[in-house]
Amino acid sequence: MSPRVTLRILGLLLMLFSLTLLPPILISWLLDDSVWDAFAIAMAITAVTGAALYLPNRHARKELRTRDGFLITVLFWSVLGLFGSLPLMLASDPALSWTDAVFESFSGLTTTGATVITGIDLLPDSIRYYRQQLQWLGGMGIVVLAVAILPTLGIGGMQLYRTEIPGPLKDSKLTPRITETAKALWYIYAALTLSCFLAFWAAGMNWFDALGHSFSTVAIGGFSTYDASIGYFDSAMIETICIVFMVLSSISFGLHFAAWREKRLGQYARDPEFRFFIVFLALLSAVSVLILLVSDTYNDLKGVRHGIFEAVSVATTSGFGVADFSAWPGALPFMLFVAAFVGACSGSAGGGMKVIRILLIIKQGMREVLRLIHPNAVIAVKVGRTSVPDSVSQAVWGFFSVYVMLFFLMLIGMLATGLDQVTAWSAVGSALNNLGPGLGEVANHYGDIPAAAKWILVVAMVLGRLEIFTVLVLFTPAFWRR
């Protein structure tokens, strides 16, 4: 490992991130909300810090190893979350405390969508825009964007890519060159964002709301420019558009790329993870609508609209709302919340444990049942027609085991801060799955929970975004051993 190379890359990435504060400054000037100076100061601090890290180490050149990739990825997300909080602290409105500003920043960048802010409708427009932009930048990962740029500066990128892309089968590349892979991912991401923006605009949103919601929809984030979220618009057309793009962004971007390259939609139907995901969403939506109608929670088409929207929003870990699903009858809130543990597809912008892992766990469970019947049989675990290596199966079970242990450790920590059981477990699950809304005291916002609980959730958000092992590997003695 080379500390100087690490500092050089971190400084360069911070200077690049400082440029992302230009759009909020322009929005502030354009809409005259008088908080542009908070962004200008934050931009200066970020740029100067980045330069201070980069310039003394600008001549440090060394090919990155896997261990460097892990360290840089975790450092960058951690440092970026801290620097991303500066405008929220410096702006006179909302004038957040350091803890709340860091929570909001990490929630945006990890696309969790949990918020400590109320009265979002009344915030300065540049702050409302900035929250949405944070989610868009975090959606596909700023590290992946940087990978498309850094090779031109003499910095190898494959190690960063492998630590950033979520999912158990992430070693496969879309194109032979890592730079082209990163560009392909961002072309798809940008195309989805533009399409979503135009669709929202055509459906009746103004340009500001359409832009902000296209950012958070494609990022599977859930931040909104209104307290009432998508429910503010009360439009079946807008809700339908949102559902379509939530689903599209929850599908593997590698699958989108393959379908585009081959010019065949049949690529989707042949993918086992996609098929499982669509069936899962359809069943969850059907059950939600049925319970709402049978219980007379809604007695008209709103039951269908709200049931489908909330099922898709929660299951994809988007976290948008058109209704308070935590107040729905019976086991429905719990069922929807547990669906977020499944999450989106591997290689997508969504959170959760990922559909492919759940599919593999189910298939391995079925194999163990068959082994009870046929003890001597050799039974392969297959995804589609492909046999899954035992190493992948073991990695899935390892991930699941560590996920459960961390969940309970953080749950105990949350309970120790004085929160009730429903609030504590739903807040940890929401943060670890990058969902956003929870149950109990965090059904609407996280502003009233203790500061210690917010810091636990910040850690949970980062663990969920970087899929646990990327972070935990830094705490092993073997990682630091020469």
Side-chain angles (χ1 to χ4, degrees):
M1 291 176 56
S2 175
R4 292 194 64 193
V5 172
T6 300
L7 290 175
R8 173 175 174 257
I9 295 172
L10 191 61
L12 182 61
L13 293 174
L14 272 176
M15 288 190 289
L16 289 174
F17 178 69
S18 71
L19 298 178
T20 67
L21 297 178
L22 284 174
I25 291 174
L26 294 175
I27 292 287
S28 181
W29 284 344
L30 180 64
L31 301 180
D32 193 24
D33 64 11
S34 302
V35 295
W36 66 269
D37 54 335
F39 291 102
I41 294 170
M43 182 179 179
I45 294 172
T46 305
V48 168
T49 304
L53 294 175
Y54 173 77
L55 292 176
N57 304 294
R58 63 187 181 278
H59 298 304
R61 305 271 175 173
K62 187 178 179 181
E63 182 64 25
L64 289 177
R65 298 180 179 179
T66 301
R67 289 198 300 179
D68 298 309
F70 284 122
L71 179 61
I72 292 168
T73 300
V74 175
L75 276 178
F76 187 58
W77 277 88
S78 302
V79 171
L80 195 64
L82 295 174
F83 279 85
S85 68
L86 289 176
L88 300 172
M89 281 190 291
L90 295 171
S92 56
D93 187 10
L96 298 181
S97 67
W98 186 54
T99 294
D100 284 350
V102 170
F103 183 95
E104 196 79 8
S105 176
F106 273 93
S107 180
L109 283 169
T110 59
T111 71
T112 301
T115 185
V116 296
I117 301 175
T118 55
I120 296 171
D121 311 46
L122 305 177
L123 289 176
D125 289 325
S126 56
I127 295 291
R128 295 166 73 206
Y129 167 83
Y130 178 63
R131 295 170 70 250
Q132 308 301 113
Q133 179 181 278
L134 280 176
Q135 292 210 315
W136 189 76
L137 291 173
M140 182 50 66
I142 296 176
V143 175
V144 177
L145 173 63
V147 166
I149 300 170
L150 294 183
T152 65
L153 305 173
I155 301 172
M158 188 60 202
Q159 288 75 14
L160 294 183
Y161 172 79
R162 289 181 60 197
T163 57
E164 171 61 18
I165 294 298
L169 306 175
K170 61 186 177 183
D171 284 344
S172 59
K173 295 179 285 186
L174 309 183
T175 63
R177 292 173 57 86
I178 181 59
T179 306
E180 297 305 316
T181 296
K183 287 180 180 177
L185 291 171
W186 270 99
Y187 288 152
I188 296 167
Y189 193 61
L192 284 174
T193 304
L194 178 60
S195 301
C196 187
F197 165 72
L198 293 174
F200 276 144
W201 198 11
M205 285 188 183
N206 61 42
W207 71 268
F208 182 84
D209 290 335
L211 182 63
H213 285 91
S214 66
F215 281 175
S216 54
T217 301
V218 174
I220 307 295
F223 272 169
S224 175
T225 51
Y226 299 98
D227 282 318
S229 190
I230 295 295
Y232 170 87
F233 301 98
D234 193 21
S235 166
M237 178 61 72
I238 287 175
E239 291 166 22
T240 301
I241 291 168
C242 194
I243 288 171
V244 169
F245 282 95
M246 284 191 291
V247 173
L248 286 174
S249 298
S250 298
I251 298 168
S252 169
F253 277 56
L255 187 57
H256 287 317
F257 180 83
W260 172 80
R261 183 175 55 188
E262 301 295 330
K263 303 296 188 293
R264 287 205 303 261
L265 294 178
Q267 291 283 354
Y268 294 102
R270 286 194 291 271
D271 184 73
E273 184 182 26
F274 171 81
R275 294 199 302 268
F276 183 92
F277 178 60
I278 294 301
V279 170
F280 176 71
L281 286 183
L283 289 175
L284 186 69
S285 300
V287 171
S288 299
V289 170
L290 182 63
I291 292 175
L292 290 176
L293 294 179
V294 169
S295 65
D296 285 330
T297 304
Y298 303 99
N299 54 13
D300 54 17
L301 283 177
K302 272 201 171 181
V304 178
R305 279 173 52 188
H306 289 184
I308 294 174
F309 186 94
E310 289 297 330
V312 173
S313 178
V314 176
T316 60
T317 72
S318 299
F320 284 119
V322 292
D324 182 8
F325 77 91
S326 66
W328 284 354
L332 185 52
F334 180 80
M335 181 190 74
L336 288 176
F337 193 84
V338 169
F341 284 76
V342 177
C345 295
S346 175
S348 73
M353 286 191 284
K354 299 297 184 294
V355 172
I356 188 65
R357 287 195 180 99
I358 302 301
L359 182 58
L360 285 171
I361 288 172
I362 292 172
K363 286 181 175 290
Q364 290 177 71
M366 294 173 62
R367 179 174 67 173
E368 295 308 312
V369 171
L370 291 175
R371 278 180 172 172
L372 293 175
I373 304 170
H374 306 287
N376 298 321
V378 177
I379 305 170
V381 174
K382 290 188 174 183
V383 176
R385 297 179 181 179
T386 305
S387 293
V388 177
D390 287 340
S391 60
V392 173
S393 299
Q394 292 170 6
V396 168
W397 278 111
F399 175 89
F400 182 75
S401 302
V402 173
Y403 180 98
V404 171
M405 286 190 289
L406 284 173
F407 181 91
F408 282 110
L409 282 174
M410 288 186 286
L411 173 58
I412 293 170
M414 294 288 285
L415 290 171
T417 66
L419 295 175
D420 63 89
Q421 293 183 28
V422 172
T423 300
W425 81 261
S426 67
V428 173
S430 181
L432 198 54
N433 292 316
N434 302 137
L435 168 61
L439 305 174
E441 292 180 32
V442 293
N444 296 315
H445 64 87
Y446 289 70
D448 297 331
I449 64 175
K454 292 172 184 173
W455 284 105
I456 292 172
L457 295 180
V458 166
V459 173
M461 292 176 201
V462 176
L463 285 168
R465 182 63 182 87
L466 296 181
E467 304 224 334
I468 296 176
F469 285 123
T470 302
V471 180
L472 292 187
V473 72
L474 301 186
F475 295 92
T476 61
F479 179 85
W480 300 101
R481 197 173 295 134
R482 288 184 178 272

